[in-house]
Amino acid sequence: MFVLLIFGHFFASLFLHSFFLHRYGTHHQFTMTKKWERTFFFLTWLFQGSSFLNPKSYARMHLEHHAHSDTTDDPHSPLNFSISKYGLDFPYAATRMMYMTKKLFAQIRKETHEIASMYKNRVFPEWETFESFADSKLSVIGMGTLMVLIFVFFASGWEWILLPFILLNGAVQGAIVNWCGHMWGYRNYDLPDNSKNTWILSSVMWGELFQNNHHKYPDSPNFGGPKWYEFDPLYPVLLFFRKVHIINFKT
Ligand SMILES: [Zn+2]
Ligand SMILES: [Zn+2]
């Protein structure tokens, strides 16, 4: 039962990562009212907890990823970390990629990196008072301690191996998408980058691993592709959210 709750937590946080940080906050694929924006902002903090990713910093770094995908200017391309053609050195190279991405993210958040001053004309989700708390050490240590206590009370034996993945859930999800989606899979579109569709993982990752489709059409809220088996499970949720007036598509 506890394991199911932990997996549920991971996929809820991944949903918010894809829905709020990526599709809404970065690509502006749909709109929502300020009230709903703050609701999802809060939920993203609640579920990402100790690994909360500041939406504005996330958006700027991700736009740089799209602008320079898989070149040396890409903030987190696996091609800049792996020396194996097929990415077989992932235990070491993906960990290094995660570490360097985390370092860069902190610099963007502190506005000590040039990416922080880019995309000034774009509007990102902002909530100054809450952000300063959500990014603080108090929040990171507090939410991390809360999760450790949940494990102390409910985990038995092997379940403890899931703890690092939960404490670092935002970063782990980013690393899976960046590594697999730019290293392993097939391509529908011959783009100048190395984006791939990692079909086997794409449905459980809320459609995020249809990276080749997404890089071809970054403004489309549907990451599924032309093939019948390319199903983006987050898209029907968006259709439902539109039906109940939580979001609106731009076109
Ligand atoms: Zn990508
Ligand atoms: Zn994107």
Side-chain angles (χ1 to χ4, degrees):
M1 186 62 189
F2 178 65
V3 171
L4 286 180
L5 283 176
I6 289 301
F7 275 95
H9 176 277
F10 186 85
F11 288 107
S13 100
L14 178 60
F15 171 82
L16 290 157
H17 192 154
S18 180
F19 169 78
F20 184 68
L21 295 177
H22 189 197
R23 304 190 197 208
Y24 172 73
T26 305
H27 291 295
H28 302 172
Q29 292 165 356
F30 45 87
T31 59
M32 65 178 83
T33 62
K34 203 74 189 164
K35 189 186 83 179
W36 279 115
E37 184 184 295
R38 297 221 157 156
T39 303
F40 287 113
F41 202 125
F42 176 79
L43 287 173
T44 303
W45 167 77
L46 187 68
F47 279 89
Q48 288 193 328
S50 52
S51 69
F52 173 67
L53 298 168
N54 179 276
K56 188 170 66 177
S57 307
Y58 177 96
R60 288 188 168 138
M61 189 165 85
H62 190 69
L63 289 171
E64 277 296 279
H65 163 62
H66 276 267
H68 307 285
S69 194
D70 295 315
T71 69
T72 50
D73 289 328
D74 185 329
H76 45 59
S77 171
L79 304 191
N80 294 332
F81 294 92
S82 177
I83 52 168
S84 158
K85 192 181 168 194
Y86 301 107
L88 300 177
D89 54 351
F90 69 93
Y92 169 71
T95 305
R96 219 175 112 242
M97 181 183 78
M98 260 176 91
Y99 174 72
M100 297 306 282
T101 309
K102 189 189 176 325
K103 220 166 127 185
L104 176 63
F105 194 93
Q107 289 171 345
I108 297 170
R109 176 65 182 123
K110 285 186 200 145
E111 309 211 341
T112 56
H113 194 280
E114 58 179 354
I115 293 176
S117 57
M118 293 176 179
Y119 307 101
K120 288 274 190 207
N121 296 328
R122 279 179 77 97
V123 178
F124 302 116
E126 288 191 72
W127 189 357
E128 219 174 297
T129 44
F130 184 67
E131 277 173 67
S132 50
F133 163 70
D135 289 332
S136 69
K137 282 201 173 83
L138 176 70
S139 169
V140 173
I141 295 169
M143 294 299 274
T145 306
L146 180 64
M147 190 52 78
V148 171
L149 286 175
I150 290 172
F151 270 73
V152 167
F153 282 111
F154 299 107
S156 55
W158 71 271
E159 291 155 352
W160 279 91
I161 57 171
L162 300 173
L163 181 62
F165 296 97
I166 289 296
L167 290 177
L168 297 170
N169 65 80
V172 167
Q173 292 154 8
I176 293 170
V177 172
N178 295 332
W179 186 274
C180 301
H182 284 264
M183 186 63 89
W184 297 329
Y186 63 90
R187 284 157 74 83
N188 286 331
Y189 309 104
D190 189 20
L191 303 175
D193 58 32
N194 200 50
S195 58
K196 305 273 175 75
N197 293 325
T198 321
W199 179 81
I200 199 152
L201 286 173
S202 55
S203 288
V204 289
M205 294 296 286
W206 285 110
E208 281 289 323
L209 278 167
F210 288 126
Q211 281 289 302
N212 183 243
N213 298 345
H214 172 53
H215 276 263
K216 174 72 176 171
Y217 300 110
D219 295 330
S220 169
N222 185 0
F223 288 10
K227 298 186 173 121
W228 66 268
Y229 50 82
E230 293 180 340
F231 171 66
D232 171 9
L234 204 140
Y235 187 57
V237 181
L238 296 182
L239 295 177
F240 173 72
F241 279 1
R242 182 179 62 170
K243 202 171 170 57
V244 295
H245 307 295
I246 293 175
I247 64 165
N248 247 315
F249 291 134
K250 286 178 146 178
T251 49

